[in-house]
Amino acid sequence: MSSLLSLTSITKNFGSKKIIDHLSLDIQAGEFVSILGPSGSGKSTLFHLIGGIFNPDEGEIQLHGKRINGQRGSISYMPQSPSLLPWRTVLQNVLLGQELQGKKDVDTAVKMIEKAGLSGYANAYPLQLSGGMKQRVSFIRALLSPQPVICLDEPFSALDELTRLDMQKWLLSMWDEHRRTILFVTHNIDEALFMSDRIVVMSAQPASITAEFSLPFPRPRHEDFFLTEEFLAWKRKIYYAIRK
């Protein structure tokens, strides 16, 4: 089966410093793949390469078998901060990705806002929202964008533990319904195990992929998952893979 997104021997330097070294990765359609690695290992740089903000010095990035090196607009990107436009309402913010592609599906956007527990907030502005609400709006915007791959760069890192768990469960429910392809950067092993089909471990700089794990856990996953012996065994396995 051919991959939806394929990175082949990607290398990226900034001046004399090598950040990513011959990294290869294949992502299948509908997969939820998490990337784990030490701080500063180049995970965000990898997203910038996939998104066309940076050009790799070596290697090729393909989407649907088409080379997209340096090509912007091929993927949907959700950064650590919600990055909502303060002068646009919730509805206007979630439609932004579609508008940039010359499309606008207001009915679907309103339904997704309501499903996200934001009924009555479609015409509110970001200043009126909590941190978790802003993250929901940001994810709906990514989900509504027409690109086939959504890259999420530590989207819940600024949230408190309880809000973070609520957001993880909500995101999984939305992903389960729409089955978009997600590439998810996190520093949190628990989060990666709870969310993912597959976990990819990156080394410290210069970054390459040192391990990949396909997870055996069925979906949907619930909070008691964190208390199982199988979860703890996998957490140890992933931890030692990162520490190598």
Side-chain angles (χ1 to χ4, degrees):
M1 182 171 61
S2 60
S3 302
L4 172 63
L5 178 68
S6 182
L7 287 72
T8 305
S9 200
I10 297 297
T11 296
K12 180 62 182 175
N13 304 304
F14 290 119
S16 60
K17 187 175 179 65
K18 182 169 286 187
I19 306 299
I20 295 176
D21 185 22
H22 292 93
L23 183 149
S24 295
L25 178 64
D26 291 310
I27 308 293
Q28 306 300 325
E31 259 196 311
F32 196 123
V33 178
S34 288
I35 299 176
L36 281 170
S39 295
S41 62
K43 299 185 294 297
S44 294
T45 299
L46 182 64
F47 272 10
H48 292 152
L49 288 164
I50 295 169
I53 296 171
F54 300 147
N55 231 325
D57 295 304
E58 298 178 36
E60 185 168 80
I61 304 169
Q62 291 190 349
L63 184 66
H64 287 305
K66 179 184 175 184
R67 178 186 173 98
I68 59 166
N69 289 32
Q71 182 177 313
R72 301 188 183 191
S74 299
I75 57 99
S76 180
Y77 176 66
M78 180 178 167
Q80 294 180 29
S81 60
S83 300
L84 303 178
L85 299 178
W87 59 88
R88 292 178 69 109
T89 65
V90 166
L91 179 59
Q92 290 169 340
N93 266 290
V94 302
L95 288 170
L96 182 60
Q98 289 190 343
E99 288 178 15
L100 294 173
Q101 299 291 324
K103 305 173 182 178
K104 189 187 288 189
D105 185 350
V106 175
D107 289 343
T108 299
V110 169
K111 287 175 184 175
M112 291 183 71
I113 289 169
E114 291 174 352
K115 188 173 177 61
L118 297 171
S119 296
Y121 285 93
N123 294 315
Y125 290 89
L127 186 64
Q128 299 168 268
L129 307 180
S130 69
M133 292 164 76
K134 290 176 184 176
Q135 290 297 81
R136 290 178 190 229
V137 173
S138 186
F139 182 68
I140 293 169
R141 180 176 61 191
L143 201 58
L144 279 171
S145 296
Q147 295 90 344
V149 178
I150 301 174
C151 291
L152 306 180
D153 191 353
E154 296 191 76
F156 307 142
S157 60
L159 302 177
D160 65 81
E161 200 65 29
L162 290 177
T163 304
R164 184 175 183 142
L165 180 58
D166 285 344
M167 284 299 302
Q168 289 167 355
K169 292 189 292 186
W170 175 80
L171 191 154
L172 283 178
S173 72
M174 296 293 285
W175 173 79
D176 190 55
E177 182 177 345
H178 297 276
R179 287 288 167 162
R180 297 288 295 280
T181 305
I182 291 181
L183 198 53
F184 186 91
V185 161
T186 179
H187 284 101
N188 190 302
I189 298 174
D190 291 19
E191 183 170 71
L193 286 168
F194 186 58
M195 306 285 284
S196 314
D197 296 315
R198 185 158 54 104
I199 293 175
V200 174
V201 177
M202 285 177 62
S203 68
Q205 289 184 11
S208 59
I209 291 175
T210 56
E212 290 189 40
F213 301 94
S214 293
L215 302 181
F217 311 120
R219 296 185 185 276
R221 296 172 194 166
H222 305 287
E223 292 173 56
D224 55 4
F225 166 76
F226 294 110
L227 303 176
T228 64
E229 288 296 327
E230 191 176 16
F231 165 77
L232 294 172
W234 272 91
K235 184 174 181 178
R236 284 192 292 270
K237 184 187 297 188
I238 303 295
Y239 174 80
Y240 289 122
I242 295 171
R243 296 288 292 176
K244 279 184 181 177

